Amino acid sequence: MRSDFCIRVLGPVTVERDGEPLDVGGPQARAVLAMLVLRSGRGVSLAELSGVLWDDRPPPSFRAQIHNLISGLRRALPPDLIVTRPPGYHLAAGPGQVDLVEFRGEAAAGRGQLAAGRYTPAAELFRAALALWRGLPCADLPYPAIQAATIGLEEQHVAVLQDRIDADLGLGRGAGLVGELVALTRDHPLDERFRGQLMTALVQAGRVADALAGYRECRRRMIEEVGVEPSARLQDLHQAVLAGTVVPLAGADAAGRAACVVPWQAPPPVPDLVGRADVTRRIFDLVLDAGADVALTGPGGIGKTALMLRVADALRDRFPDGQLYAKLSGTDRTPVPTATVLARFLRALGVPPDEVPPDPEDRAGVFRSMLAARRVLIVLDDVADEAQLRPLLPARGGCRLLATSRRRLDAMEALRTVRLDALPLGPSVDLLRAIAGPSRIDAEPSAATDIARYCGGLPLALRIAGARLAARGGWKVRDMVRCLADARQRLDWLHLGDLDVRASVLGGYGALPREQQRLFRLLAVLDAHEFPVWLTAALTGTQSGAERAVEGLAEAHLVEPAGSGVTGPRYRMHDLVRLLAAELAADFDGPAELRAARHRTFDGWLALAAAADSRLPHWVGADPEPRPRWRPPGELLDAVRADPMGWLDEERTALLDTVRRAADDACARVAWPLAQRLCAYLDLRGLYGEWSQALTSGLRAAEAAGDARGRATMLGLLCLAAASGDDYTGSLAYGERVLAAYAELRGAPGAEPEEPAGADDPNLDHPDVVAHRRRLALARRDGDALAVAFAGARLIHAMRAAWIQGDYLSLFEEVRDGFREGGIPLLEAWALQYVGLVYCRQGRQDEAAQCLARARALVAEAGDAAEMSNTGGDLAAFAVAHGRFDEAAEMAREGLAQAGRANDQWSTGKVLMTLGEIAWARGDHRAAELAYLDALTVWRRLNVPERIGRVRHVLRERFGTRAEEPVGS
């Protein structure tokens, strides 16, 4: 087929555009289309279509129904393809748009070449015609009239097959045709043409006695079953064989017998391959342009075999001397020996069994010699390893090799590997549509998407799910979703007949060494799609061998490389593969071993998080915490210390998940310390929602374990997180519990006070820090309490932005006193949050209680203003409220720059609102509106409804702007 659009009736009726199936409607619509194709020479009337669809009992509305079917087809097909003219409807298809037309054209051209004695082009044309057949014509349409109309097509198919065999016999390829003709004469025992062709092929292969015996058997059956002698033509052939006048191999001598054998062993391709266009083009480029041998690698069920057979079928014309095929059973416990494969290939190439060399190396040598002057495609499925494959590689020349393997085959220098990945979501749904039927899938698109997600883009899983739906006409797509939703039974549902996801993955697992099998099982403990390589050492409890073991899993495609991070290589594991690993772990590894492995990973995360956190600036220090019981190697800790924010950004999801999982697993000794170690990072990034969730999980674990220190630490940090997130009420509510929790710790070791920054700390020379120290000194000299407070607070922010781990308490105390004297109660309350928490940790309970009481009173006095301001420590906003516009603008610019460097979206949104207020107060209404629009974009990105509503209110009341939809600056 040469067109980008085609109608296929030589098999199930389908329509394709650019190789992808096109939905043209249900069975009736496809029946109408089939009749248009089958009657393309004279058209189809309404009466004929009525007879096809309803026999002799059409409904009263049959005309309207047929018109609707034709209208639907016209909408789905290219314009002007279906035309109306007497006696009814005609199909005006162009070249290459109908497989039946193409079949007849190729066959006619082939017969012309055959009649002229040009056997090579004749054979190619007949093969091209036969390649269009995909099964019984219109096999999916059980309409008697259509089935009757296709009877003649089967006869045409057999005739073209016989013509192709005649062409191959004319080329002397009889030895390679014997197996095919034996099967054909078995299926058509009284067809004299097939019998004569088999006799000729046997003679060309040097098997004259077999040819004569075949004639005798044919004659006996004809006399017994039909009562007649064979035809004169077959009798003449028999006499020619007896006389020795049938020349083997068109005159070649016996020594060259094998040179004319053309094997075609590769199985037919699957009909519904989708989503592989890019990788197919890449394979074609490698094979045809680069002249490379190609191996498709990937996990079980990823579709390697289906793609390989599709490519092999498409390459038939490029390799006219045939295709050799073998399944090497590389995932079985006993793969097929290479020597056995070589023997099969040599026999397929025409070498008599008694002439196949006994030595494997000799067999490989003969094999390469026989391929040296040919163009043969070697197709190998399920290769075990490089040792099994290497002797089967063809020598340089016109032959190429396609192979599939679960292993990466990295040691094959002359082989180009193409890794297959899971299908994206769209092609996954397309595959379901092709198998289960377009109408069912399109009727429930959301449920179909859920199935695709549960199958993880694994073609084998999608085929099974689609086949289950196709076999159960009464099921809805959502019924299949319900079955797959339970992870414990998902693999059971993904098993149908000889298709089994579990068995497919187990094939790769069974070939692994024991230490790799154990690691594979333990990876299920992680419950994560992607993981860094150091976790494998934590799982196995040893620092040696774990990385080599996971690389072995990667070579077997049970895990896949996923790039590299701060701590080294990363890997990912398919969800269905992880489910099997969990089943195996439950069968082979006891609960105690699995729990120990899981807790080692928790300890590893805590050790690395502590290393990263040790490099971050802290305003209130850290409470004493249990030390991890398992630690990664020192070089990994050093790597994390060298790039703490990079590592925390990279592993944020995993760290937060570990806090929750440790709490669920009653591992309080990790849950709350890890939550504490994430505080500075989450605060710097403005991730207050995630910060509170982590602390809540840590608190739950500490309370369940009766861990007083952990409980007090989590409550104190929840108080701080609420204040940082502008939740004054929540912060003070936690404050009450903080006092009680730390009171229980009287006599327990207190937190280590932070060491003031040393005089040689290079960060003290940071320009921003130096400038703010100068401003604070000037404010102190002038005796301006509010200036002192603002300068001190700005210095605190500048020190943290410069990553100075110094004594913040004395500065917070000075800031607290300055805001009290300067009359900004909410900023005083903001400072009291930090001062009070440090007092609690230092055991200064009375002073902490005074801070809490003062903060509560300040917020109560502010009333609704406290809830409405929601500015927290946004100093610039309060400077605006007190008329200090220049200072406010300067602080806002500083805050925006610091928030940008830290990727702190929360602080960015707050500062943008403040910039809007500054511009409004100065009368620059356009700049104010733009600042608020930018703030609205940030709050929408963070999904903060209260902030979104407040900004929209300001835009509507001040500027008349209705920002109902997301707005960009």
Side-chain angles (χ1 to χ4, degrees), residues 469-491:
L469 282 173
R472 291 163 174 79
W475 276 32
K476 298 290 187 182
V477 180
R478 61 177 175 268
D479 293 326
M480 192 74 237
V481 173
R482 174 177 47 79
C483 295
L484 296 177
D486 186 350
R488 295 168 300 179
Q489 300 185 38
R490 191 172 303 157
L491 291 177

Side-chain angles (χ1 to χ4, degrees), residues 412-435:
M412 296 292 293
E413 305 86 356
L415 194 68
R416 300 290 293 274
T417 58
V418 175
R419 190 182 77 188
L420 285 192
D421 292 320
L423 290 173
L425 197 58
S428 294
V429 174
D430 290 342
L431 182 54
L432 284 173
R433 184 181 292 109
I435 297 170

Side-chain angles (χ1 to χ4, degrees), residues 317-574:
D317 293 343
R318 302 300 187 99
F319 295 91
D321 295 321
Q323 292 180 355
L324 296 169
Y325 171 83
K327 184 175 177 61
L328 302 186
S329 302
T331 52
D332 293 350
R333 292 189 178 275
T334 55
V336 178
T338 304
T340 300
V341 179
L342 285 168
R344 293 176 185 170
F345 283 174
L346 290 176
R347 290 195 296 272
L349 291 169
V351 176
D354 56 353
E355 295 181 18
V356 174
D359 183 75
E361 291 189 10
D362 291 342
R363 290 181 185 179
V366 173
F367 176 65
R368 287 191 291 270
S369 298
M370 294 184 69
L371 295 183
R374 307 190 191 197
R375 292 186 59 80
V376 174
L377 183 66
I378 304 165
V379 184
L380 304 175
D381 194 18
D382 197 15
V383 173
D385 52 29
E386 293 88 343
Q388 187 189 36
L389 177 60
R390 204 178 297 276
L392 297 170
L393 285 174
R396 292 189 177 183
C399 298
R400 295 291 176 265
L401 177 141
L402 283 179
T404 73
S405 179
R406 298 278 184 93
R407 302 194 68 82
R408 294 193 311 218
L409 305 176
D410 292 337
M412 296 292 293
E413 305 86 356
L415 194 68
R416 300 290 293 274
T417 58
V418 175
R419 190 182 77 188
L420 285 192
D421 292 320
L423 290 173
L425 197 58
S428 294
V429 174
D430 290 342
L431 182 54
L432 284 173
R433 184 181 292 109
I435 297 170
S439 57
R440 294 179 71 185
I441 297 301
D442 293 342
E444 299 179 77
S446 178
T449 299
D450 289 339
I451 291 178
R453 288 198 177 99
Y454 285 134
C455 292
L458 196 70
L460 176 60
L462 292 162
R463 288 185 182 279
I464 295 171
R468 281 192 177 276
L469 282 173
R472 291 163 174 79
W475 276 32
K476 298 290 187 182
V477 180
R478 61 177 175 268
D479 293 326
M480 192 74 237
V481 173
R482 174 177 47 79
C483 295
L484 296 177
D486 186 350
R488 295 168 300 179
Q489 300 185 38
R490 191 172 303 157
L491 291 177
D492 295 331
W493 284 105
L494 295 176
H495 175 200
L496 184 65
D498 62 347
L499 302 178
D500 187 354
V501 170
R502 181 186 282 110
S504 178
V505 179
L506 274 173
Y509 169 83
L512 297 173
R514 290 183 60 185
E515 66 275 10
Q516 292 180 19
Q517 289 184 343
R518 177 173 180 259
L519 175 59
F520 174 74
R521 299 193 302 269
L522 292 178
L523 284 173
V525 166
L526 300 180
D527 193 25
H529 179 68
E530 186 177 308
F531 58 93
V533 70
W534 67 263
L535 276 171
T536 58
L539 288 171
T540 58
T542 175
Q543 299 288 359
S544 62
E547 190 164 349
R548 290 194 300 275
V550 74
E551 187 59 17
L553 297 183
E555 290 173 2
H557 286 289
L558 290 171
V559 300
E560 298 290 345
S564 185
V566 174
T567 56
R570 302 179 67 82
Y571 295 87
R572 64 175 180 269
M573 193 177 201
H574 193 280

Side-chain angles (χ1 to χ4, degrees), residues 904-928:
D904 179 352
Q905 293 293 297
W906 185 276
S907 296
T908 298
K910 287 168 54 175
V911 176
L912 286 169
M913 291 173 67
T914 300
L915 286 170
E917 285 299 303
I918 294 171
W920 177 262
R922 287 176 163 174
D924 189 348
H925 292 178
R926 180 54 181 163

Side-chain angles (χ1 to χ4, degrees), residues 50-92:
S50 174
V52 169
L53 298 177
W54 297 289
D55 294 327
D56 57 351
R57 297 181 298 278
S61 61
F62 79 93
R63 293 177 181 274
Q65 291 191 43
I66 292 175
H67 285 312
N68 288 337
L69 291 170
I70 292 291
S71 297
L73 287 171
R74 282 173 168 162
R75 287 193 298 270
L77 301 176
D80 302 323
L81 191 68
I82 299 177
V83 297
T84 304
R85 65 171 182 262
Y89 300 103
H90 292 254
L91 190 71

Side-chain angles (χ1 to χ4, degrees), residues 230-320:
S231 67
R233 182 176 180 181
L234 194 61
Q235 292 184 45
D236 290 343
L237 178 61
H238 177 233
Q239 293 299 318
V241 174
L242 288 172
T245 57
V246 177
V247 181
L249 294 185
D253 58 26
R257 204 164 41 233
C260 294
V261 177
V262 180
W264 294 99
Q265 297 181 327
V270 296
D272 46 23
L273 189 72
V274 300
R276 299 298 193 192
D278 290 344
V279 70
T280 300
R281 282 193 294 271
R282 183 182 174 200
I283 296 169
F284 268 89
D285 291 343
L286 289 172
V287 172
L288 299 178
D289 296 339
D293 299 318
V294 177
L296 306 180
T297 69
I302 205 69
K304 302 182 296 296
T305 300
L307 178 58
M308 177 190 68
L309 293 178
R310 172 64 65 89
V311 171
D313 185 67
L315 289 173
R316 284 176 67 96
D317 293 343
R318 302 300 187 99
F319 295 91

Side-chain angles (χ1 to χ4, degrees), residues 164-292:
R164 191 224 83 204
I165 293 172
D166 278 346
D168 284 338
L169 289 171
L171 292 168
R173 295 171 174 172
L177 297 171
V178 170
E180 180 183 10
L181 284 165
V182 167
L184 288 169
T185 54
R186 184 169 57 244
D187 295 337
H188 305 270
L190 300 180
D191 190 303
E192 292 191 352
R193 188 174 178 189
F194 278 137
R195 178 62 63 178
Q197 289 174 330
L198 175 58
M199 291 173 63
T200 303
L202 287 167
V203 171
Q204 288 188 0
R207 298 165 60 181
V208 175
D210 290 339
L212 294 172
Y215 173 81
R216 291 192 297 271
E217 171 62 16
C218 176
R219 179 175 182 273
R220 181 188 63 78
R221 291 194 63 167
M222 293 189 70
I223 293 173
E224 291 177 356
E225 298 178 22
V226 187
V228 298
E229 290 279 348
S231 67
R233 182 176 180 181
L234 194 61
Q235 292 184 45
D236 290 343
L237 178 61
H238 177 233
Q239 293 299 318
V241 174
L242 288 172
T245 57
V246 177
V247 181
L249 294 185
D253 58 26
R257 204 164 41 233
C260 294
V261 177
V262 180
W264 294 99
Q265 297 181 327
V270 296
D272 46 23
L273 189 72
V274 300
R276 299 298 193 192
D278 290 344
V279 70
T280 300
R281 282 193 294 271
R282 183 182 174 200
I283 296 169
F284 268 89
D285 291 343
L286 289 172
V287 172
L288 299 178
D289 296 339

